[in-house]
Amino acid sequence: MRENRGGAESMRDKVDALKQAVDLRDLFMERYPGRFRRSGKWLYGSSPYRTDRRPSFAINEDIYIDFATGERGDEIAFVMREQGVNFKEAVETLQARAGGVHLSPAPQHERESPSPSEPPSAAWQTVMRAESSHAQTYLYASAPDAQAALHWLQTRGLTLDTIRRAGIGFNPTWKQTRLRERESGRAVFIAPGILIPCEIDGALWAVHVRILTDADLPKYLYVRGSKSSGLYNGDAVCAGCDVLIVEGEFDALLAGQMLGERAVVVTLGSAANKLPRRWLDRLQVARRLYSCLDNDEAGQRATAQLADRLGDRHHALKLPRGKDITDYVVRHGGNLTAWWDDQTAPFAPRPVQLPLLDTFTPPR
């Protein structure tokens, strides 16, 4: 444990001390006995939070990572997720843990979820539509945190019209919903941050939360019960259109705002999310398929996977500067429409050139 210097211990010091006192691997092994195998300092196994046919979940002493979805967290995030509590309550739980109180094992198959190719239950959609509507109303309130959230969105190049049409909202604090997790019965909470609903063909597939202020949480969290396999803006794909696949919702909104009728812009929300057969079939009606994922290792891997799934109809586009579309436009002042026209020109069909006659003799 860290030495308490100068009197009252700050929350940050308290959290750091708890992380040193509690090994995250022990928490997972007690909660899910027999699910993970050890290799060096890591535990490996299938995710306890989703159907995971190819084990892609890893845990060390202070972090867990789902390599398939990109989700990661620490001891605090683990307790918040497992027990449906807020940050302060999670700290108190870990303090009890450090004092010798252990977590009980989870019931077998507690986290098994319905098919990822189908949207959440009607009950989940009803509750989360109401919560999303409330968050959308709050985003335009006069409260300082709401105004700060709206300003953050606008600094990413999004217009008020784009923000409203996307149904984006803001949730200021941890909020308990009327939903309960299957099997365990624990309450479902919404994290504080910007709420991004993913609605496709009249079904609410997911609510993604962009965390703005809590450095102890990942930047993005899904509300429990969301299906991260939804194709954001997928219902806009139509026969004969050009489709641009990007990595996140904010890139999709900005690109769609700037490209207009040039392309339908969609995203799976993360480079780690795979393209299910449901959306692969939907994309078959498009004229041409393009992708522009983040300029990093994860984005490059995801681009290669898209090429394998989509075949010769897929063309990967590259930005001249910046990590992603938002960075290119906002930070580097890039002209996205000019970039699009230049990048897609080599793949556009060329008009048929008819041979010209040297002379023309009218019929007699």
Side-chain angles (χ1 to χ4, degrees):
M1 300 285 285
R2 290 184 178 177
E3 181 182 356
N4 183 7
R5 294 171 292 177
E9 186 180 33
S10 70
M11 177 60 76
R12 174 70 65 179
D13 288 338
K14 183 184 296 184
V15 169
D16 289 343
L18 283 172
K19 289 181 180 180
Q20 292 179 19
V22 177
D23 192 317
L24 184 58
R25 293 168 296 194
D26 293 339
L27 297 181
F28 270 97
M29 286 190 292
E30 290 171 10
R31 186 67 171 152
Y32 301 100
R35 192 180 189 105
F36 302 100
R37 60 177 177 81
R38 183 182 290 271
S39 178
K41 69 175 184 177
W42 289 87
L43 297 178
Y44 294 95
S46 59
S47 170
Y49 303 129
R50 60 180 179 83
T51 302
D52 190 9
R53 295 182 178 86
R54 294 182 178 180
S56 54
F57 202 87
I59 311 145
N60 69 12
E61 65 270 17
D62 57 10
I63 190 172
Y64 67 82
I65 304 173
D66 188 332
F67 291 104
T69 66
E71 181 184 354
R72 60 183 60 207
D74 58 8
E75 292 90 340
I76 302 291
F78 172 85
V79 174
M80 290 171 65
R81 180 166 197 167
E82 289 292 332
Q83 300 191 1
V85 297
N86 60 29
F87 180 86
K88 181 180 178 182
E89 291 168 330
V91 171
E92 293 171 350
T93 298
L94 287 176
Q95 287 176 315
R97 161 74 193 205
V101 179
H102 290 197
L103 298 174
S104 59
Q108 189 175 9
H109 306 307
E110 176 183 350
R111 298 294 182 174
E112 293 298 321
S113 60
S115 169
S117 63
E118 298 297 329
S121 68
W124 186 94
Q125 293 184 52
T126 298
V127 172
M128 289 313 304
R129 276 200 181 95
E131 296 290 356
S132 297
S133 177
H134 178 77
Q136 187 177 10
T137 300
Y138 186 81
L139 178 63
Y140 302 99
S142 59
D145 54 0
Q147 292 182 342
L150 185 59
H151 175 72
W152 186 90
L153 288 165
Q154 291 176 305
T155 60
R156 297 182 71 88
L158 301 178
T159 65
L160 286 175
D161 181 60
T162 295
I163 295 168
R164 286 194 176 98
R165 284 190 293 106
I168 293 176
F170 180 68
N171 176 46
T173 61
W174 282 98
K175 184 176 183 181
Q176 181 174 341
T177 71
R178 294 188 290 108
L179 294 168
R180 295 280 172 176
E181 294 184 21
R182 294 193 321 144
E183 305 290 340
S184 71
R186 289 191 290 266
V188 172
F189 282 76
I190 304 173
I194 292 174
L195 269 59
I196 315 162
C198 176
E199 186 135 3
I200 313 167
D201 296 331
L204 183 62
W205 281 72
V207 176
H208 215 179
V209 183
R210 174 56 162 94
I211 309 298
L212 296 182
T213 58
D214 195 333
D216 293 308
L217 294 175
K219 285 201 304 183
Y220 287 92
L221 288 173
Y222 281 105
V223 175
R224 293 303 302 273
S226 295
K227 295 295 187 67
S228 61
S229 56
L231 185 67
Y232 187 81
N233 199 36
D235 48 3
V237 176
C238 58
C241 70
D242 285 349
V243 173
L244 174 62
I245 304 171
V246 299
E247 192 159 320
E249 294 94 346
F250 292 127
D251 276 356
L253 290 171
L254 181 59
Q257 172 184 296
M258 301 191 74
L259 295 179
E261 295 183 356
R262 283 177 167 84
V264 172
V265 188
V266 300
T267 181
L268 284 166
S270 167
N273 292 342
K274 303 298 187 294
L275 186 65
R277 167 59 61 179
R278 179 185 185 123
W279 309 125
L280 189 63
D281 293 341
R282 173 72 62 93
L283 293 173
Q284 295 305 311
V285 303
R287 179 174 57 173
R288 286 181 294 272
L289 301 171
Y290 302 96
S291 68
C292 183
L293 305 186
D294 287 4
N295 186 24
D296 55 20
E297 185 177 347
Q300 292 169 4
R301 286 198 305 269
T303 299
Q305 292 169 356
L306 281 176
D308 289 339
R309 295 282 280 166
L310 299 175
D312 294 339
R313 298 176 63 229
H314 167 257
H315 306 287
L317 309 182
K318 292 186 178 181
L319 295 166
R321 296 178 300 279
K323 176 181 180 294
D324 53 32
I325 284 176
T326 300
D327 191 39
Y328 173 61
V329 172
V330 175
R331 182 182 175 192
H332 296 280
N335 184 326
L336 201 67
T337 54
W339 165 82
W340 171 265
D341 292 342
D342 178 68
Q343 288 278 302
T344 59
F347 311 111
R350 297 182 179 181
V352 177
Q353 297 291 332
L354 297 176
L356 297 177
L357 298 177
D358 293 335
T359 59
F360 175 73
T361 303
R364 294 181 180 180

